[in-house]
Amino acid sequence: MDTDPSDGRQGAGDPAAAGREAGPRATSPSPLVGLVLVAHDPGDWFEEVLTAVGVQDHHDLEVLVVDAGRRAGLAERVAGILPWAEVVDAPNAPGFGAAANVALGRKRRAAFHLFMHDDLVLDGTAVRRLVECALEVNAGVVGPKVLDGADPRYLEDMGCWVDRYGGGVPRFESGELDQGQYDAEREVFACAESAVLVRSDLFEAVGGFDPEVRFLDGALDLCWRSRLVGAAVVTAPTAVGRSVGGRRTRRRRTDPQRLHPRHRLRMTLVNQDPVQRSIALVELALATVFGALYGLLVGRFRHVRGLLAAWPWNLRRLASARERRATIAGHFGSDHTRLYVRHDVPHRSFHRAVTGRASVGTGAEAPGRLRLHQLWSALLGPGGITLLLGAAVLGFGSRHLLTRGLPAIGRFQALPDDALDLARSWWTGWRPSGTGVDAPPTEGFALLGLLDGPFPWGSEVLLAAAVLSAFPLGAVGVWRLVRPIGGGRSRAVAVLTYLAVPVPYNALAEGRIAPLAAYAALPWVAQRLAIAQGVVPYGRRGGVPGPGARLGGLWGEVLVGGLVVAAAAGVEPSTAVLGGVVLAGLVVGSVLAGSPAGVPRLLLVAFGACVVASLLHLPRLDRLPDGDLAAAFVDPSHWPAGDLGAAAILRLDTGTFVAGRLGWALLVIPAIALLTADGWRLALVVRSWMVAAGGFGLAWVLDQGWWAGPMPAAELVLVPAALGLAWAAAVGAAAIGVGTLDRAFGWRHALPPLAALALLVAVAPVVASSLDGRWGLPERGLDAAVPVFEVEGDADDIEGSRETPRVLWLGEPSVLPAAGVDLGDGLAFAVTDGPADLLDQVPLRLVDGEGLSGVHDAVRTLLAGTTSRVGGLLAGWGVQYVAVVERGAAAPYTAVESPAPDALLASLHRQLDLERVEGLNRAVAVFANPVAEPVHAVVRDRTGRAVPVDLGRPGWGRLEATMVVAGSYRAAIGPEGWWRIEDHDGEAEPVEDGAPVLATARVDAGDRLVLVLDDDRTSTGSRTRQLAILALAVLATSWAHLGRARSGLER
Amino acid sequence: MNAVRAPAVIMLVALLIGAFAFAAESSSPERTDESVTALAEWSLAGAAADLWFCEGPTQRAAGVADRVVALVNPTDSPAEGRITVVDESGNRVSRTYQVEAGTTFEFRPDPFVPRADYAAVTVEAPSGGLYVDQAVLGEASNGLDRGPCATSTSSSWRHPWATTERPGTTAVLLLHNPFPGNAVADLRLVGDLGRRESLDSQGIVVGSRSLVALDLGERVADSEVVSAIVDVRVGQLVSALFLAGDGVSPNAWEGVDLTPGLPGDAGRLFLAGPGLSDRDAGAEHAGPPLDASVVLLNAGGEAVELEVVPHPVSGGAFVEPFRLVLHPGRREVVDLLGDGRLDGIGPFLLEVRSFGAPTLSAALVTREYRLPGDDTGEPVRPGFDVNSAVDHAATSWRVRVDPSSSATATLVVANPSRAGIATVQLAVVAGPGSDAEADAERPLPAALELDPGTLVEVPLPPGVVEVESSAPVTVLVREVGASGRTGWSGVAGAGTVVRPS
């Protein structure tokens, strides 16, 4: 390759002389080549282009420069270098095709036309080699190999293939080195756009360039038509040129997002046979619709505009399309589809048409596969291998849970019979728990309900998978969080540390969902906060960003952060509070480390993210003014003052997963990091330690008994501590080895083995615990101890007259099978209809339903010992059983034990209207309430007896009651005003004091009542708004994020 | 980027030191099995809802002339509630009641269940504050028994002593289930020939809100001593034993006695001594018994070595304890007066100590007595009495003497603790109102001091007397009159009951 511009200058103005210097081959007879150089207001590079033309070693070369631009002075520039070249004007900037077509009207004897863009610097032998290639393979069209002008080691263009819609498919991925890897295969569908050598008779036969195709795709169209008439199209790999013009595609008239769709449609109309054309047009119309939606979703408005504008643009030019089609009409019907079918994978062609991303190939370099390759590359590094090992241990340790499901302990209760009830409850805001409450489940529960249908392995496995997904989600979250810190080693240490903390295993053993959800979500929240601060290695402040760091704009970070916080809060609301702990840790840590850079931005983004998240959770926030803020979200737990102690807190040792003194090993690597790191690593490790200190401090404060509200689980508040330790451990792993080998032998050389030993010690208890395959969970849960609550008989009966018994649960909050209302002194109560299910696992408050308050008053009376007929107090609320839970699972399975207070049991035993149900498991003491009234009943006029009605539930929020006797119908289902009677003409009666919370009505035997949830009370409207806000937020985030990506690309 | 280490390290170390230095002590209450419940407990008005269970015979029962249940309201406000009477035939009658402040409401169960021989009464006192007792009078004033009703239900009951001697004695075990669920009980009877269990004694169903009366004479006939062990498999019961004798049996048992059972076993039991000093010194207060036996029962599954320790009030005297070994399911009768070791020691407190499993129950049985002031030396019949030993003490008690009774009542207060002086104060909280002269005749001492292991006897005026003590004490009332001799434990204040140290 010879690209020395000095050669051009030496031969400038005398092609004959240049030919003579080229040696014996230059003196041989050669076909005349008419070089048409279309210039469109070229830049400074144009002289280099002209010089390269001037030094070509091809003898017979005529140069015609077409001035298709608007600026004057081009002729002088040409004359200065190629005085023998002819310059013509193409007025009104008609575009490349129309400008190049001036060759059609000129009666020349040239055998070949060489059409060039004004930004291609040809090698000195390029023209000759193009001609030789054309003659050698008898090709009609030949193109050069085009290299990157900025760095000629990289390929720029070597022709392309085409898909079914006329979209060009490059032969290689952008950024590939030129190693001759594509030189062997000469045949292409279309040659490089920058320079096209065409046999002149062929050019005449196909009607030249399409004048309507401007700047882009002209060569593609020309090649397509050439192939239709039987000409071969090849790339001459020895003919080399360099593209020196740089990127000008953002100019409106040459924007590929605008031009490609219209050209694709144009070529389909002109170059396809009628049948293929019809099919392609339909598919393109569909692709336009999807593409417009896609563009709107991701904020690519130019893409949308280009897609939509392509149709009227082509409709206005149907006549010219017909004319051009007529030129080669006789050639349709040939087997031309074979030309592109090789690279036409329909769904990828469609994807390309929809997204407009045609810059990648269709083979192994496809984007999905590229990402997969990147993922595999990452997984095969130390961090990835750690993830895989962690996954193997977790999978091994969870094998029985995944195959047999979770035991029903704590919050791990079965999905409802109809799992969609979770979503319906979320949508309407009503829940049957606690005699009916205005306390919907979280978005996470609703999503779980939606997933149950398509999930192929049953509800039990779905629940187990959902719960256990906390481990991989948390691990991947930490993996991503620490990615910019360093290599795979630091990722490995962080992931192992995070997986080794006892917090999730204790939460699992105690059946707690909230800590597991926080464990999964908090690393993702922390990552957004770290990026928001933008301090090295997460941003440019203070140094060079680390690997994988993504630099975002303010609004993009606010929106993404808001979505992440909203998603985390949607699964577990308290995660938002823990995010606050992380934020505080980062701020305090930054100040303490003396590097407060980025703190204002961090606070700004955090505030904005909170606003966004709050907007996304407006329906939930609606509940807050009515009662205790904490009780609305915190599942109460029993946590006596001083129960844990400082040492256990520091070891994160809160439950049955006991690492003992080995738990101190978790602190070793973070401590080493704090003592040995320097520079940005020290700043980061200080921030990490402050995050951990926030978690430890919160746990300590609660352990001191200084918090008067409902106590969260210890595992929950320690999640920030676990995260901080893992974060600091990652920094420690990255910092320990820095410069150690360069130093003289000393104490620092002992740190790596010490850290490795500490890591092994920390991980060992987890590996040991994995052996039983259930992480210490019992084989059966509490459900094995309380079969009495199941409705006997066939399933049909359940929909019929039999009511599911209503159960009052009493006991320590964590062993209750439903989220309870705190009664103090380690006692809570919950009310469920039948055995508890997942709908009953969301915290609620007394203000959420009148029935709950009524039951609460009765329980208080019971505890105070001021009644001997508590059954009567509970009867009006339909409570048929009182169950005192003393173990998390049925005996003899291992479980958390929490004996009920003697006073409670003694008081229950002294009730004259409660009947102890004997013969049950010692995990639970059950008392039947023989005086309980049915939830739906008719109170007979004369006797005052409550007679049950035939009840059916045709749908969520709709009950059908058929009366068997005459009297007053009443239902103990709340909250007040949520249910209204439909389809009944009876006289409405006022609400009675006490039990009935629904307006009663006079009924006769055989009457049928329909109870429906009142639309004015349900949250369907606010849920609709919530979804709309979510869509807007996602849209805005997508726009902001892609805008950031594009701007990054331009940089 | 430059960062500093020292501030963070200093802060973390300071936090660490602070966390350990100022850590709160664990406040989680340690669960103990020391909770103890008295057979009868009263609550302050408005503090809790009380349930009183009174079982006994009706006038139709053999040897019974009358039975009266009294609801005493010593508070300042009226008390309302419900009375439910059930009999052994499954009849149940419920009525509401109201007792004005400071008054007593008496009723007989017989009209509620006119065809029943035995009746159980459940008195609901939703506001607490009530004192409920009952009295049984033998036919032709042949014997008297009085005592508070029970407030406890239990799943195990012990009756160390009964007799089925033929002819002339009646022993009926009453099992009352006041709750809506059926109860199932197993009964073990220990007669003179040893333990007896029969199939019909296992799985006795006591229906919801019903009473079962078991004639022990039909199961263990003609036994001088019969002990009954009731273990409730399902539910909880209230149990009492009714005894009646017409004096023609070989041991000449004469009179009536209605003894509530002991709700469970214990390892350390206390009995107020029978007042033997009076036997020699002449009666000052209640008439002294002329014989006294302690009946010991081991309901457990292993042999128990035990001793019965008399604690004389006069600290200088030492009395050799009665030591014996009690095999599982066996009972033993210790004649306190037989060997003369208690002669002349004065008043004493009896303690029963187990050196093995806490599976003991005990009762003090007295038969003959002499009227106060009677110096003829002749014993007076009728009047046998059975007092159950208790395993608890309390700092607050209430006792009641029926103002209409002509008998002489004595209050026995004992301090069963091994250490600590008990300062006791007595006060009449609800007197008869019109009988001021009787109050003047028998004034209550302002305060009493009791050393560990001692007791004191004081004459008791009619009405409800409250006993407040600075340390846990046991309280017993003895009443002697023309109709017979009886004794009963006081009613402990709820929340003040403990096991003596």
Side-chain angles (χ1 to χ4, degrees), chain B residues 63-195:
Chain B
V64 177
D66 195 9
R67 176 185 170 205
V68 177
V69 178
L71 280 60
V72 183
N73 179 10
T75 67
D76 297 332
S77 55
E80 295 178 350
R82 183 195 300 262
I83 295 167
T84 304
V85 183
V86 300
D87 65 9
E88 74 273 27
S89 303
N91 299 309
R92 182 172 48 144
V93 180
S94 212
R95 296 284 184 273
T96 57
Y97 71 85
Q98 180 170 9
V99 185
E100 296 301 325
T103 64
T104 300
F105 167 63
E106 293 183 346
F107 72 97
R108 290 172 174 77
D110 307 60
F112 292 90
V113 282
R115 284 192 292 273
D117 289 342
Y118 299 93
V121 177
T122 301
V123 179
E124 297 174 47
S127 303
L130 218 57
Y131 180 100
V132 180
D133 64 4
Q134 63 179 345
V136 177
L137 186 65
E139 217 164 22
S141 297
N142 190 7
L144 168 72
D145 191 273
R146 188 189 305 279
C149 296
T151 59
S152 292
T153 59
S154 176
S155 57
S156 59
W157 290 97
R158 309 291 180 249
H159 295 276
W161 188 86
T163 180
T164 59
E165 276 186 350
R166 286 178 179 172
T169 63
T170 302
V172 177
L173 180 66
L174 300 172
L175 300 175
H176 173 40
N177 176 11
F179 301 113
N182 291 346
V184 180
D186 296 333
L187 178 62
R188 285 181 287 166
L189 300 175
V190 186
D192 292 344
L193 300 179
R195 177 171 154 188

Side-chain angles (χ1 to χ4, degrees), chain A residues 431-444:
Chain A
R431 199 149 56 94
S433 312
T435 73
V437 291
D438 170 19
T442 62
E443 285 74 11

Side-chain angles (χ1 to χ4, degrees), chain A residues 535 542 592-593 641-642 650 674-677 679 682-683 686 700 704 864-869 899-900 909-912 914-915 918, chain B residues 1 3-5 7-8 11-12 16 19-20 22-28 31 47-49 51 124 126 151 178-181 209 234-235:
Chain A
V535 177
L592 273 182
L650 286 174
L674 182 63
L675 298 175
T676 61
L682 175 59
V686 169
W700 189 80
Q704 294 293 100
T866 52
T867 182
S868 52
R869 291 184 180 271
H909 276 115
R910 290 177 59 80
Q911 299 305 309
L912 292 175
L914 289 186
E915 181 179 347
E918 302 289 346
Chain B
M1 172 182 281
V4 290
R5 192 186 328 272
M11 181 175 173
L12 286 171
L16 198 62
F20 278 99
F22 300 105
E25 292 293 324
S26 175
S27 66
S28 52
R31 304 187 71 85
L51 289 174
E124 297 174 47
T151 59
F179 301 113
R209 301 187 184 97
V234 175

Side-chain angles (χ1 to χ4, degrees), chain A residues 557-572:
Chain A
E557 288 309 322
V558 166
L559 289 168
V560 176
L563 280 177
V564 170
V565 172
V571 178
E572 171 50 42

Side-chain angles (χ1 to χ4, degrees), chain B residues 356-376:
Chain B
T359 54
L360 294 180
S361 52
L364 176 68
V365 183
T366 56
R367 182 174 49 176
E368 297 175 326
Y369 74 102
R370 188 183 298 128
L371 281 173
D374 179 9
D375 54 359
T376 62

